[in-house]
Amino acid sequence: MKKAETTNRILKSETEEVILLTQALVRIPSVYRPGEKDGNEERVARFVYNYLKKNGVEVHIEEVEPGRPNVIGIIDSGKPGKTLLFEGHTDVVTEGKNSSWTYDPFGAEIINGKMYGRGTNDTKGNLACMMIAGLSLHEEKENWSGKIILCIPCDEEGMMIGIKDFIKRGWAKDVDGAIICEPLDKEVCITQKGAMRVIIRTYGKMAHGAMPLSGINPNLRMARIICELHTLEEKEKQRLGKHPMLGYPSITPTILQAPVAGEAQINVMPDECMTTLDIRTIPGQNHKELEHKIQAIFDHLVKDDPDFKATYEVIEDRPWTETPIDDPLVKSVSQAVTEVLKKPATYNGVPGATDGTFLHLEGIPIVTIGAGDREIPHQIDEYVEVEDLVIMTEIYRRAALLFLQES
């Protein structure tokens, strides 16, 4: 077969390319800050769009919300076969206080083999890896069949509106497997925790702090709920045990606020209290059953307290995922890791939810893997090992070739 004509590559070396591309991505801040000029993903998404287009890739850009676009690259071999999707998001979490960083959080400086900056690890480094791997495969279409989709959504760190929009527009239709590009120590992650985000509110009656009997204290009712939720968490741990890849499930109160609106005063009993729950689930847990157990806590507490009034609202529901170890995608990724690292692949799980959750709901097998220490995301002085970027690019490339090779 005639070798495919090569496109005009931006740089001579793929090793050099992935390093410089990561630096370019990190140097474009993409923290979502509503109301702030450039406080979104648009600038980095436009950069990604132009980069792929200049390298001959069919590319689309679609606005999910104002200033928050998805980018979709299509690499078609021209031959019938399977469709493989790579996913890497453009948004990053806040850098926090700049003065707390040893290096510029958007400088992408390389010091002793490590590149520092917000997104180097989660997940602009891995986004660069999948893009460069995709460009390499774009140039060697004679070696594989089918199609590759580069899914580059906004808002993975928030409510994941990017991947939801991607699916809604039909891009995930007929995808046979998806590699989710997240920092996980180059381990083959075949399962991930589910997530429920819940708002609980307790209601009372405002009163003077010196005369509490003239009111109803919602804070006491919330305290009882939180204690009951801790008991529920312990029961779930005992019932399910420790998952070999994901550890224990958890029910974590995160925000606690009273009053919910208006000014707080030390001598005023509020009329409402609110808490949020970050619930992380493992295989064996049913989210609807957990909802019933929260409601059962309310039903139990109201029996002993006629003034007890509480509500809950599930604002996000992301089920846990699991891909069989003998799935063709898992086999392809594992073999690629073994070939590149010269040692057997390590299997593991993802402690949090990813955009892959929603692809999994579409019936698509997913594997999550990427360069970077899994403990580093969202921290001050976030970094990635430069060598790992080069290694991960080759793992992505080989995994795709193995999954899409001709019969």
Side-chain angles (χ1 to χ4, degrees), residues 177-188:
I179 296 175
I180 312 303
C181 305
E182 294 283 352
L184 289 156
D185 302 297
K186 304 186 292 296
E187 294 176 333
V188 182

Side-chain angles (χ1 to χ4, degrees), residues 166-385:
F166 176 87
I167 293 167
K168 184 179 178 181
R169 292 178 190 251
W171 287 107
K173 187 180 179 183
D174 300 325
V175 170
D176 297 287
I179 296 175
I180 312 303
C181 305
E182 294 283 352
L184 289 156
D185 302 297
K186 304 186 292 296
E187 294 176 333
V188 182
C189 294
I190 57 176
T191 183
Q192 64 182 341
K193 281 187 174 179
M196 295 173 67
R197 291 179 176 173
V198 181
I199 298 175
I200 293 179
R201 300 177 188 272
T202 52
Y203 304 92
K205 180 183 176 184
M206 186 182 287
H208 196 298
M211 295 174 283
L213 293 180
S214 65
I216 299 170
N217 196 334
N219 295 345
L220 292 175
R221 277 74 187 179
M222 186 64 79
R224 291 170 189 153
I225 291 172
I226 290 173
C227 289
E228 291 286 344
L229 288 169
H230 179 68
T231 300
L232 174 59
E233 179 188 70
E234 291 303 311
K235 287 180 178 177
E236 288 294 288
K237 288 179 178 179
Q238 291 172 16
R239 180 175 72 87
L240 296 156
K242 187 176 183 180
H243 189 279
M245 296 182 185
L246 299 175
Y248 290 108
S250 60
I251 301 173
T252 306
T254 49
I255 301 170
L256 186 61
Q257 184 176 339
V260 174
E263 187 178 359
Q265 288 186 241
I266 199 167
N267 61 343
V268 178
M269 180 192 296
D271 64 350
E272 185 179 345
C273 182
M274 180 274 289
T275 193
T276 55
L277 303 180
D278 185 351
I279 302 176
R280 301 292 171 152
T281 60
I282 63 176
Q285 287 181 291
N286 182 289
H287 287 197
K288 281 297 178 186
E289 287 181 6
L290 279 174
E291 283 190 53
H292 295 325
K293 289 176 180 179
I294 292 172
Q295 184 60 53
I297 289 171
F298 294 177
D299 295 342
H300 164 69
L301 291 174
V302 77
K303 288 179 181 178
D304 298 323
D305 179 3
D307 291 326
F308 178 89
K309 184 180 179 183
T311 61
Y312 76 87
E313 179 188 6
V314 179
I315 61 170
E316 184 73 336
D317 190 341
R318 304 170 185 172
W320 48 265
T321 72
E322 206 167 30
T323 305
I325 201 166
D326 60 351
D327 184 90
L329 179 65
V330 177
K331 287 182 174 180
S332 296
V333 175
S334 300
Q335 185 177 335
V337 170
T338 300
E339 289 177 359
V340 174
L341 299 184
K342 310 297 183 188
K343 63 180 182 180
T346 299
Y347 295 95
N348 210 331
V350 183
T354 70
D355 280 337
T357 301
F358 297 100
L359 296 169
H360 168 81
L361 283 173
E362 296 298 305
I364 299 169
I366 64 170
V367 170
T368 311
I369 185 172
D373 186 329
R374 65 168 61 215
E375 300 292 332
I376 295 301
H378 303 191
Q379 292 189 18
I380 298 294
D381 288 339
E382 176 183 345
Y383 71 87
V384 69
E385 299 275 356

